[in-house]
Amino acid sequence: MSTYIFVLGKDSELSVAELSARYPSSNPVGKGGEFAMLELNEAFDQKEFNYLGGQIKAGEVFAKVTKRDLISSIADNLSADHESGKLNYGVSVYGLSERNLRLLLLDLKKEFRKRGIGSRFANQNFINISAAQYKGLKGKKEVLVCKDGEDYHLARVVAVQDIDGYSIRDFDKPFRDMKVGMLPPKLAQIMVNLTGSDGTVWDPFCGGGVLIMEGLLMGHEMLGSDINEKTLHGAQRNVQWVTKEFSAKAGADLFVHDATRPLPTKNFDAIACEGYLGPPQTRLKSKREFNPVIAELSELYSKFFRSLKAGGFNGPVVIGLPFYKTREGELSLDEVIRGIEKMGFKKDLSLKYARKDQLVGRHILRFRFS
Ligand SMILES: C[S@@+](CC[C@H](N)C(=O)[O-])C[C@H]1O[C@@H](n2cnc3c(N)ncnc32)[C@H](O)[C@@H]1O
C-alpha cells in the first residue's frame, strides 16, 4: 500500500468526490481545497490517472517532515537515482503560498552545490510546474511539497493531466453543436467515476456523445440515447472517431430514445448524464423569466425519474441539472430535485460546477432509488 497526493482541479469538492467514488476503500482526505491524500493498494500509473477528470497531478508520498528537514529530504529524493551531469528537477508547493517557492528553490540549489551536484530547476519565475512543463522536464523529476498543519508531505510526481488528449477530444472531434452545449471531457470523466460502477453506463441525454466517448476510453460498455436523430448521428460520428484515434476497447450502443419513456430492452448498471439544460442563455435575466423553462424541465425530469422507477432501476444515477445566474442571484431546480426525492430516490451528492462567466452552471447530483 502506498500513500498518494492528488493535486485537485478547480472544483476541489468534485475532485475529492471523484476520488472517493473511484477508490472507495482509499479514504481520500481533502486538505484545504488544494490537494487530497489517499492510500492505494493497487499500483498507480499515468494510464490510470488519465481516467480521472478532476485531478491535476498525482505524486507518491516519500516523506513527512517538519520545516527543519525539508530541504535535505527533497535533495535526498531527487539525487537518489542521479548518475552524472546536471540534475534537472522541478518543485511545486501546495497548501502554502507560491511565494515560498523562491527561497525553497534557492536553498535546494545551495544544498546540491554543497553535495557537489550541479543542478537546474525547471520552475520559471519561481512558480509551480505546469502539466505542460512536466512533460518537457528531462528525467521527469518533480517533487510536490504539501503543507498540512506543521507537517510537510513530500511526494514524487508519477502522473500529470493529459492536457493534449483533452484538447484533441474537446476540439478535434468531427461533430460539435454549440446549441446543444457540450460537456467538458474532464467533467464527463468525473461523472462516470461518480457512478462508482465498472459496468455498463447509460447516458439517456447523450447529445454529441462526450460522456459516451469518455466512458468508452475508461473501459466501460456504454449505452447512449437522445431524442434527436440528427444529434444522435453526430454522437455516432464522434464515437467512431474516438474509437479509432484513441483505440477504445469497449463498445457503444447508440439509439434514438425519449428519456421520459421506459427502456425495458436494455441492460445497464448505472446512469450518468448531463440532462437538457433549457434553451441557451445569452443575457442575464430575472428569476421570473425562467418560469416557463423551469416548468418544462420539471416535467421532463419528473417523467424521466418516474420511468426509471417504473422500470425498477435501483443503480446510481449521476445527473447534471442546470442552474442559472439571474439578476436576483442563483436559481437552481430545487423543486425538481425535491420531486425526485419524493419519488423515493435518495440524493447522496450535490455539488455545483460553473465557470465565472457562465450564465448556466451544472448542478451535479447523485441519486439512487431505495
Ligand atoms: C445538454 S444536451 C447534452 C449534451 C451532451 N452532454 C454533450 O456533451 O454533447 C441535452 C440533450 O438532451 C436531448 N433531449 C432533450 N429532451 C430529451 C428527451 N426527452 N429524451 C432524450 N433526449 C432528450 C437533447 O436533444 C440534447 O441533445
Side-chain angles (χ1 to χ4, degrees), residues 173 175-177 179-185 188 191 202-213 225-229 231-232 235 238 255-261 272-278 296-297 300-301 303-304 320 362:
K173 59 180 177 284
F175 175 77
R176 289 171 63 80
D177 183 351
K179 287 200 294 291
V180 176
M182 271 170 295
L183 193 62
M191 292 176 74
W202 176 33
D203 178 351
F205 299 92
C206 77
V210 173
L211 197 136
I212 304 293
M213 292 157 70
S225 55
D226 199 283
I227 199 166
N228 185 320
E229 201 168 335
T231 310
L232 191 80
N238 282 344
F255 50 95
V256 173
H257 174 73
D258 178 349
T260 63
R261 308 185 70 86
C273 61
E274 170 194 44
Y276 174 53
L277 306 177
E296 185 190 359
L297 295 186
L300 173 67
Y301 291 117
K303 281 186 176 165
F304 169 55
R362 293 166 171 104

Side-chain angles (χ1 to χ4, degrees), residues 279-285 290 324-325 357-360:
Q281 302 298 319
T282 49
R283 64 178 175 85
L284 194 64
K285 293 180 183 164
F290 279 96
Y324 305 103
K325 209 184 268 178
D357 54 345
Q358 282 178 334
L359 292 172
V360 184

